[in-house]
Amino acid sequence: MTKELSGKVAVVTGAGRNIGRAIALTLAEGGASVVVNARSNRAEAEGVAREIEAAGGKALVHIGDVADAGAVQAMADAAVKQFGRIDILVNNAALRREKPFAEMDYAAWREILDVTLDGTFHCVKACLPALRKSGAGTIVNIGGLSAHTGAKNRAHVVTAKAGIIGFTRALAHDLADDGITVNCVVPGLIGTPRPKDKPEPAHHLTHQTITGNRGRPEDVAATVRFLCGPAARYINGQAIHANGGAYLGA
């Protein structure tokens, strides 16, 4: 693939592992300089940055919780200070807990929404001035399959990810005059490492892919890269599924 993102600067949240890591590496392969954000694990984030730099790219590590508006503003400021601009924002950071609704207290509910939904709000607000200056800014929000299918024991996660879809569509209208496209990539049944004490989510076991296999984080990242490139400027306000056919719908 060509370096279609050369000269661009991308901020990727939750970029230390799994899908976020793949997105950061893939955008760097496209020529973008990448701000690698992680909530607390500096070692993982620095590992991603080293991979980018080893391949000849440019990266900046920024540790900060997207639920903290001040930390997010500091990240946007650091990106502009280091690279002079922000052209791409990928809102990937999220929490994925499981708890029956009857046992869910408000703190558990808010924990998910604070990161997944409010964190996306904070990131867009902080990066918006720079995205406007870009003249061809791109925001890609990472959704979730369960927002479209529902899922047991995930009322908080489903609600947050459904909110991301609505936020995407609203922003596409609000920011069109600024030359900013806003889309959502919805992963589904992606094979990522899981801690031994956290087995496969129950709702994954109820879905099957048409392809007969789980996707890779790189499959999601390729979709994000396309949406960030010049060939996708006419795509706006869309939820694009990368799930091997596990879910067929809008």
Side-chain angles (χ1 to χ4, degrees):
M1 296 180 71
T2 62
K3 300 287 187 179
E4 79 283 4
L5 302 180
S6 291
K8 303 288 188 180
V9 175
V11 174
V12 183
T13 68
R17 66 179 74 171
N18 297 334
I19 290 174
R21 171 183 172 274
I23 291 171
L25 294 174
T26 299
L27 295 183
E29 288 174 3
S33 300
V34 181
V35 178
V36 180
N37 162 262
R39 186 181 192 182
S40 59
N41 196 323
R42 179 174 292 276
E44 286 185 341
E46 290 181 344
V48 176
R50 284 194 297 271
E51 288 186 76
I52 291 172
E53 291 166 350
K58 297 180 180 179
L60 171 68
V61 171
H62 191 90
I63 304 301
D65 187 348
V66 297
D68 181 342
V72 171
Q73 187 61 58
M75 176 175 67
D77 293 344
V80 173
K81 181 178 180 180
Q82 178 77 12
F83 297 122
R85 59 192 297 147
I86 298 173
D87 304 278
I88 297 164
L89 169 62
V90 181
N91 290 302
N92 170 71
L95 297 177
R96 298 169 180 85
R97 311 278 197 231
E98 288 194 311
K99 185 178 287 292
F101 181 74
E103 300 173 11
M104 186 183 300
D105 58 18
Y106 184 66
W109 170 269
R110 277 280 14 135
E111 180 192 26
I112 300 300
L113 270 68
D114 284 349
V115 173
T116 302
L117 195 53
D118 292 356
T120 298
F121 172 89
H122 295 321
C123 289
V124 173
K125 291 289 284 187
C127 294
L128 186 55
L131 289 168
R132 280 175 164 159
K133 289 180 182 178
S134 169
T138 303
I139 298 172
V140 180
N141 300 319
I142 303 302
L145 181 64
S146 64
H148 301 267
T149 64
K152 187 176 181 179
N153 299 334
R154 285 198 161 194
H156 42 8
V157 174
V158 171
T159 300
K161 287 298 189 179
I164 290 294
I165 297 294
F167 191 49
T168 296
R169 291 170 177 164
L171 285 183
H173 283 274
D174 281 355
L175 304 184
D177 289 345
D178 296 308
I180 300 170
T181 61
V182 189
N183 292 289
C184 180
V185 173
V186 185
L189 302 185
I190 304 300
T192 56
R194 297 183 182 278
K196 293 180 180 180
D197 61 338
K198 294 182 179 180
E200 187 86 4
H203 71 278
H204 280 195
L205 304 179
T206 64
H207 297 285
Q208 294 183 346
T209 64
I210 291 174
T211 59
N213 60 280
R214 297 293 174 93
R216 303 169 303 138
E218 291 77 13
D219 296 321
V220 180
T223 307
V224 173
R225 176 175 172 174
F226 170 70
L227 290 173
C228 293
R233 296 306 299 173
Y234 197 56
I235 301 174
N236 203 8
Q238 303 301 310
I240 298 176
H241 292 261
N243 61 30
Y247 170 79
L248 304 178

